[in-house]
Amino acid sequence: MTDGSKRGIIAARLRNYFLTGLIICAPLAITVWLVRSFIEWADGWVKPYLPNFYNPDTYSPVAIPGFGLLVAIIVITLVGFLTANLVGRSIVGFGESLVSRTPLVRTIYKSLKQIFQTVLQEQSSSFKKAGLIEYPGPGLWSLVFIATDVKGEIAAKFDERGMDMVTVFLPPTPIPTAGFLLFVPREKIIPLQMSAEDAAKLLISGGLVAPDYKPLVNAPLSITQKTA
């Protein structure tokens, strides 16, 4: 074996070792960075409002990460606990009545509240299913998240025309945080077995990370039934 071929084999092995290490380290590093950024963001919002007596950074030479996030979780849980009883509901109702009298703020608050109620309800299936629609043209298919049945005035207009429509969200790749709200005929949607999390992975990876597929026996996918 010549020196050139030996150097080529060594270089190929080093390249493979580097790529293997990159596959392991890059996701770990990005995950740590995202978690750290979220914790710092939560701390930056909460800690400035804490009295110095309760802020551990007052007594520590270095900032304690995550304390603001812990306080936020405790406060949110406490608000939920208080809202579950009569006194808490009265206080929350009084606060919402004040917000409802404030122009612009009431519109933003009510919209956000409806979104969170719809998405976080235990029995809600909004954005928990993925599907395919023919978009942006014939023969071209896009991955969407199925939101809910069309409601309100829009539903009434479609009903007048005998159209059974479903609201879907079409996110872009690779950052599915913005996108398009589309109203699609129910029969035009091909429901998928994959979870919303797997669909998000597929979008973020640009189609490189596809979830495993195991056909369901005697359990055909269907969205022909309207959601409650």
Side-chain angles (χ1 to χ4, degrees):
M1 186 178 293
T2 63
D3 293 340
S5 60
K6 288 182 178 179
R7 286 195 295 269
I9 293 174
I10 294 174
R13 287 182 178 178
L14 291 176
R15 175 179 174 276
N16 291 336
Y17 293 155
F18 173 78
L19 293 177
T20 302
L22 184 63
I23 292 174
I24 300 299
C25 295
L28 179 62
I30 294 174
T31 301
V32 171
W33 176 75
L34 289 174
V35 172
R36 179 180 177 182
S37 299
F38 178 75
I39 292 176
E40 290 178 348
W41 173 80
D43 288 348
W45 270 94
V46 176
K47 283 187 176 181
Y49 297 98
L50 293 177
N52 292 332
F53 180 79
Y54 297 104
N55 193 340
D57 292 350
T58 307
Y59 313 101
S60 175
V62 295
I64 299 179
F67 185 77
L69 178 61
L70 177 62
V71 172
I73 293 174
I74 293 175
V75 171
I76 293 173
T77 305
L78 182 61
V79 170
F81 170 76
L82 294 176
T83 308
N85 58 63
L86 180 60
V87 177
R89 284 197 297 269
S90 301
I91 297 175
V92 172
F94 175 74
E96 289 185 338
S97 65
L98 294 179
V99 173
S100 63
R101 296 189 182 98
T102 307
L104 182 62
V105 175
R106 63 188 177 192
T107 303
I108 298 174
Y109 173 76
K110 289 182 178 180
S111 300
L112 291 175
K113 184 177 179 180
Q114 288 178 348
I115 291 173
F116 277 90
Q117 285 179 335
T118 301
V119 175
L120 297 180
Q121 280 180 344
E122 293 183 1
Q123 298 180 350
S124 174
S125 60
S126 300
F127 301 105
K128 293 181 180 179
K129 296 180 180 179
L132 294 172
I133 63 170
E134 200 169 15
Y135 182 91
L140 302 177
W141 294 85
S142 297
L143 182 65
V144 297
F145 295 101
I146 301 171
T148 183
D149 294 329
V150 177
K151 299 178 180 179
E153 180 184 357
I154 297 178
K157 297 299 181 181
F158 283 132
D159 289 340
E160 292 174 359
R161 292 162 174 79
M163 303 170 65
D164 184 15
M165 309 293 285
V166 177
T167 305
V168 301
F169 175 69
L170 174 65
T173 299
I175 305 176
T177 54
F180 299 96
L181 177 67
L182 303 175
F183 304 111
V184 184
R186 191 179 301 272
E187 66 275 8
K188 297 291 186 180
I189 302 175
I190 300 178
L192 299 176
Q193 177 182 320
M194 70 176 68
S195 64
E197 292 79 7
D198 288 336
K201 293 177 186 177
L202 185 64
L203 285 168
I204 294 173
S205 67
L208 296 177
V209 180
D212 295 333
Y213 174 64
K214 296 181 180 179
L216 296 177
V217 180
N218 298 326
L221 289 170
S222 175
I223 54 170
T224 56
Q225 298 295 327
K226 288 191 175 183
T227 57

